[in-house]
Amino acid sequence: EDIDAYIHSALDTFSDLETMPVPADSFAIDPSYESFTVEGWYALDSAALQTLHQQAESFAGRLSSETRASAAQLLTDLPDLRRAGMQPHQPDGFVFCHHDIRQANLAWHPDHGTKLVDWSWAGMGEPGSDATSLLIDLHKAGHDISDYRQHLNPRHCLTLMGFWLGHSTWPHRGDDTVRFQQFLSAVSAYEILKTL
């Protein structure tokens, strides 16, 4: 019951956020939705793809057999996914989004609802982007999100998959925990995308 209340409260908060006017840009930086693609699908050149395959091999022992099978299928489907992920975004109809929704950035209380923290990525984005991010994070944590599939944005799911794959190839200083979690997030997004 608590997880359903948590999800419903978060979805209501995202819906309210999407109706708010987008604040004027105050920094000379690329919009988050562009960074997701540039640092994701566009960054996965031949060298990065080779690194990705090496990373996936090194991560395999930490994955369940089901997740390992999904990761293998993702790598097989990677050329088609990359082609689809590199299609340009159409900003018409974009709404205000938080763009960094994961459980760590949500404060929820059953009597006070959902509050969002860490607004550094906020800006224009596709409707349903924040709901998609949360549902991927919950799926990754082992929660059944099948009752909430109508809130998923397949395009943003694909975009996040590329972003996390791209970041999972970035160098690390001995501890690859963050890179592993990014790869696992991409696999979770892939598992969800296959059901849509």
Side-chain angles (χ1 to χ4, degrees):
E1 291 176 6
D2 282 347
I3 192 69
D4 286 329
Y6 169 70
I7 294 171
H8 283 289
S9 176
L11 293 175
D12 288 345
T13 299
F14 304 150
S15 182
D16 290 345
L17 183 63
E18 289 184 359
T19 65
M20 295 175 67
V22 178
D25 285 337
S26 55
F27 300 103
I29 58 173
D30 291 334
S32 294
Y33 70 88
E34 287 181 14
S35 296
F36 289 142
T37 302
V38 170
E39 295 178 15
W41 294 117
Y42 282 101
L44 288 171
D45 58 17
S46 58
L49 288 171
Q50 183 177 1
T51 300
L52 177 61
H53 283 273
Q54 291 167 349
Q55 289 282 64
E57 191 174 315
S58 73
F59 296 151
R62 291 184 255 175
L63 302 174
S64 69
S65 58
E66 182 178 310
T67 305
R68 193 166 35 250
S70 293
Q73 189 60 52
L74 186 162
L75 293 174
T76 299
D77 293 345
L78 203 52
D80 290 337
L81 292 166
R82 186 169 181 264
R83 272 191 293 281
M86 291 175 70
Q87 296 301 312
H89 286 265
Q90 301 300 324
D92 294 339
F94 272 18
V95 294
F96 190 41
C97 299
H98 180 278
H99 280 310
D100 193 16
I101 294 297
R102 50 200 163 90
Q103 294 175 77
N105 284 343
L106 295 178
W108 177 75
H109 186 281
D111 298 327
H112 303 291
T114 301
K115 305 295 181 205
L116 307 178
V117 298
D118 190 357
W119 288 86
S120 59
W121 285 81
M124 299 278 284
E126 296 187 25
S129 292
D130 292 333
T132 300
S133 297
L134 176 62
L135 293 170
I136 291 169
D137 197 45
L138 290 169
H139 174 74
K140 177 181 164 187
H143 295 286
D144 180 7
I145 62 161
S146 55
D147 290 344
Y148 302 98
R149 288 175 24 169
Q150 72 274 16
H151 297 280
L152 291 160
N153 178 321
R155 172 70 187 177
H156 193 64
C157 192
L158 178 66
T159 299
L160 287 175
M161 186 191 319
F163 179 73
W164 287 320
L165 288 173
H167 279 226
S168 74
T169 67
W170 286 12
H172 56 84
R173 295 184 181 137
D175 182 358
D176 67 354
T177 302
V178 171
R179 301 298 171 245
F180 174 69
Q181 289 300 321
Q182 290 164 333
F183 181 76
L184 194 54
S185 292
V187 173
S188 295
Y190 175 73
E191 289 174 336
I192 290 169
L193 193 60
K194 286 194 314 182
T195 69
L196 299 178

